[in-house]
Amino acid sequence: MAGYNRRSKNITEGVARAPNRSMYYGMGYTESDFGKPMIGVANGHSTITPCNSGLQKLADAAVEGIKLAGANPQVFGTPTISDGMSMGTEGMKYSLVSREVIADCVETCVGGQWMDGVLVIGGCDKNMPGGMMGMLRANVPAIYVYGGTILPGRYKGQDLNIVSVFEAVGQFSAGNMNEEDFCQIERRAIPGSGSCGGMYTANTMSSAFEALGMSLPFASTMANVEDPIVAHTQEAARVLVEAVKADLKPRDIVTKKALENAVAVIMATGGSTNAVLHFLAIAHAAEVPWTIDDFERVRQRTPVLCDLKPSGKHLAIDLHHAGGIPAVMKVLLDAGLLHGDCITITGRTVAENLADLPPLRADQDVIRPITSPMYEHGHLAILRGNLATEGCVAKITGLKNPVITGPARVFDDEQSALAAIMAKQIVAGDVMVLRYLGPKGGPGMPEMLAPTGALIGQGLGESVGLITDGRFSGGTWGMVVGHVAPEAYEGGLIALVQEGDRITIDAHQLLLQLNVDEVEIAHRRAAWRRPAPRYTRGVLGKFAKNASSASLGAVLDGFDPASL
């Protein structure tokens, strides 16, 4: 293994080298260790959230696997924010910010310690893109290990998950659920460790990473509490050390064709709207040309194959038992909808990884054959119009008719919007406008699961539109449009909407339109003034100052290099 240690190669002999080695001797290293690769283990374990509370066993397995492969593990921590716990509070504004913090942690430790490779372990939503962005920035051999999905809760013969609780709030407030059932759902929805169980953001991103080639086959849908995930992590460590030997780097894997594969799987599985934002940021980190319109291009040719929550009936663990992401990829590959020649972290191509996979099983109903998909085209539509000249994202699966024109109900924050829903002031045909919640205005693009969950719980999921320059949870479905850009804080037209204006959402025409004449719009624009920033210091202040548009991934390093 001699010659694979970047640190040894980049530290001069003699006096400058001695203090460096001395620090390692203090941690129990011996002379023979200095010729071995130094492999980082970015450990997202925490007791903040069930998504991450089961990660330590995986970090321990990674350490053991790295040692068995003849390399030196170097463990460091990455933070997390629980989206489920912070939802509907001021804390949700830190969620997207944490993506950047995690990316910075990975890049800083790998670069600062001259690591030869890095294995990133994460669970909750922003662990995924944050870890991937850090890996791509550092660009040393790397692999992503997902902490695993949660098993479903159970009550009265029904599977439960975190979204069950938010929807129960709406049902309870509408008088359609008694207090005992409400409390039992709250207590039983989360039975143990693992990330939220539907094809929500964490499972969407893990599935996309597998399709991207940056995780091992079958890695993205395992349950955290089941034993195979530990052995799988050890295998990931072994594969990573082999990638170090072969000098197979993330940017060798994450190409434009690999991104198309990942987005095709997102569409086929009915994944989260957040994937659009995060893959714009991932492409930016990889320095691969990719725009919001590329999602629409892939959507038009990719059917929805999987019957998964939030708009379907199954959970990620059901997908795993039905054959997992490899089974989905095999269907897409056989239909000519994947690039089989893309290299993966295994050193083999996508086609080679899938070559020995059996045909789609007939005894499951989670994954549909290509001849009878759930929907002919993907579910994440990119809409444009005068309300979103830079684009926005609509999730259109599960809707009988993704078209609505109705009066605007305008809110400048999430809390007042939720209060109006709970007070039954929102009725069928309304189009709710939640604004000043974008990357800069929020800041941090908080997710709107509480309002959308309450709408669904009251039976208004298909009859009330909701548009926002903020985001939606991966658990959201309904007549919802997010990531509206330009955002209100930047003077986007969404800032000029007034109560009662007519708004059209039309997913068939890919249109988001404010039906107000140009003279009136010009009059309103002349009177508009940017509000004072909500935060001017600390991490939220920094994010508000530096974040790019949602149409560019809300990244913090999207500035023109010529301006430096």
Side-chain angles (χ1 to χ4, degrees):
M1 298 292 291
Y4 292 107
N5 187 307
R6 289 204 308 154
R7 175 168 286 281
S8 293
K9 290 184 201 176
N10 287 278
I11 295 175
T12 57
E13 298 293 329
V15 175
R17 181 175 175 180
N20 175 271
R21 289 200 170 198
S22 180
M23 301 289 279
Y24 283 95
Y25 285 132
M27 294 188 290
Y29 282 63
T30 65
E31 184 68 25
S32 63
D33 287 319
F34 295 113
K36 300 176 182 178
M38 300 290 190
I39 306 295
V41 177
N43 182 7
H45 172 80
S46 78
T47 56
I48 286 175
T49 170
C51 305
N52 290 52
S53 63
L55 299 188
Q56 187 58 49
K57 64 183 179 184
L58 304 187
D60 294 341
V63 166
E64 183 178 352
I66 289 166
K67 288 179 178 178
L68 288 171
N72 296 316
Q74 297 186 312
V75 182
F76 61 93
T78 60
T80 195
I81 297 296
S82 171
D83 286 19
M85 292 178 179
S86 64
M87 199 72 67
T89 74
E90 196 72 2
M92 171 46 69
K93 294 181 179 180
Y94 287 86
S95 171
L96 184 59
V97 174
S98 74
R99 183 190 74 179
E100 303 301 313
V101 175
I102 292 164
D104 290 350
C105 284
V106 173
E107 179 190 3
T108 298
C109 288
V110 172
Q113 295 301 121
W114 278 89
M115 293 172 182
D116 300 294
V118 62
L119 183 151
V120 180
I121 305 170
C124 200
D125 295 3
K126 306 313 173 293
N127 295 188
M128 316 296 291
M132 185 60 66
M133 290 160 65
M135 290 156 64
L136 286 161
R137 291 182 198 168
N139 201 33
V140 300
I143 193 166
Y144 202 100
V145 172
Y146 179 44
T149 189
I150 197 172
L151 295 177
R154 197 82 178 157
Y155 181 60
K156 288 189 173 179
Q158 299 293 317
D159 283 346
L160 300 175
N161 62 88
I162 185 62
V163 177
S164 306
V165 182
F166 285 93
E167 293 181 1
V169 171
Q171 291 175 287
F172 183 64
S173 69
N176 297 326
M177 179 180 289
N178 63 49
E179 186 172 359
E180 173 63 17
D181 285 346
F182 176 72
C183 292
Q184 289 297 328
I185 290 171
E186 180 185 39
R187 291 167 188 161
R188 296 169 184 258
I190 308 297
S193 60
S195 296
C196 298
M199 192 48 67
Y200 309 146
T201 302
N203 285 323
T204 296
M205 297 304 294
S206 68
S207 299
F209 288 178
E210 186 176 327
L212 193 64
M214 290 297 294
S215 296
L216 294 185
F218 298 101
S220 60
T221 51
M222 290 182 166
N224 175 264
V225 297
E226 295 181 341
D227 291 338
I229 199 168
V230 174
H232 203 85
T233 302
Q234 288 186 321
E235 174 63 9
R238 186 197 66 77
V239 168
L240 175 57
V241 175
E242 290 301 312
V244 171
K245 294 179 185 178
D247 198 29
L248 179 60
K249 297 185 177 73
R251 295 195 195 184
D252 300 325
I253 297 169
V254 182
T255 63
K256 187 163 187 174
K257 291 202 300 184
L259 288 172
E260 289 180 349
N261 284 351
V263 174
V265 166
I266 291 166
M267 297 297 177
T269 56
S272 167
T273 54
N274 284 309
V276 176
L277 188 78
H278 296 329
F279 266 92
L280 286 167
I282 286 167
H284 174 76
E287 298 187 66
V288 174
W290 188 264
T291 72
I292 195 169
D293 295 318
D294 286 311
F295 293 94
E296 181 62 28
R297 175 173 57 83
V298 176
R299 182 188 81 85
Q300 291 285 355
R301 71 184 190 215
T302 310
V304 179
L305 298 175
C306 298
D307 187 3
L308 295 168
K309 288 182 180 296
S311 55
K313 63 182 180 181
H314 293 291
L315 295 171
I317 192 63
D318 302 316
L319 174 59
H320 188 69
H321 294 152
I325 292 302
V328 178
M329 293 179 68
K330 179 74 169 176
V331 174
L332 293 173
L333 181 67
D334 290 347
L337 298 175
L338 283 189
H339 300 289
D341 59 341
C342 288
I343 195 71
T344 71
I345 189 60
T346 66
R348 299 187 297 275
T349 65
V350 167
E352 289 169 340
N353 284 340
L354 300 175
D356 297 328
L357 210 66
L360 199 62
R361 292 197 347 245
D363 63 344
Q364 57 82 35
D365 63 349
V366 184
I367 310 167
R368 298 281 191 92
I370 199 73
T371 53
S372 57
M374 295 286 295
Y375 305 95
E376 184 178 355
H377 300 292
H379 63 300
L380 299 180
I382 305 302
L383 276 54
R384 292 184 183 271
N386 65 357
L387 267 172
T389 56
E390 293 180 14
C392 58
V393 184
K395 193 173 190 178
I396 60 176
T397 46
L399 299 175
K400 296 182 181 68
N401 181 28
V403 178
I404 187 172
T405 295
R409 304 298 308 279
V410 182
F411 304 91
D412 289 348
D413 60 77
E414 178 187 5
Q415 288 70 31
S416 60
L418 180 60
I421 297 168
M422 300 299 281
K424 301 183 181 179
Q425 296 170 359
I426 305 300
V427 299
D430 286 345
V431 178
M432 299 184 71
V433 179
L434 280 64
R435 64 190 181 190
Y436 294 105
L437 296 166
K440 292 180 178 292
M445 292 187 78
E447 294 180 349
M448 302 293 109
L449 181 57
T452 58
L455 285 173
I456 290 167
Q458 291 190 8
L460 298 172
E462 296 201 49
S463 60
V464 169
L466 193 156
I467 71 171
T468 180
D469 50 7
R471 297 183 295 128
F472 293 111
S473 163
T476 295
W477 72 276
M479 184 68 74
V480 297
V481 180
H483 310 192
V484 171
E487 63 174 291
Y489 188 80
E490 291 287 83
L493 188 59
I494 190 172
L496 308 183
V497 178
Q498 294 182 1
E499 188 83 4
D501 287 346
R502 304 288 289 181
I503 290 176
T504 295
I505 304 170
D506 189 333
H508 295 314
Q509 297 188 58
L510 303 179
L511 179 68
L512 181 66
Q513 188 77 13
L514 175 65
N515 301 312
V516 172
D517 68 65
E518 290 298 325
V519 174
E520 174 62 17
I521 288 173
H523 176 73
R524 294 180 190 180
R525 188 171 297 285
W528 179 79
R529 298 293 181 270
R530 185 197 309 272
R534 288 176 165 139
Y535 290 86
T536 58
R537 303 289 296 273
V539 68
L540 289 178
K542 287 189 289 185
F543 191 92
K545 176 68 175 177
N546 295 305
S548 73
S549 168
S551 65
L552 299 174
V555 298
L556 299 188
D557 60 346
F559 41 75
D560 182 357
S563 67
L564 296 177

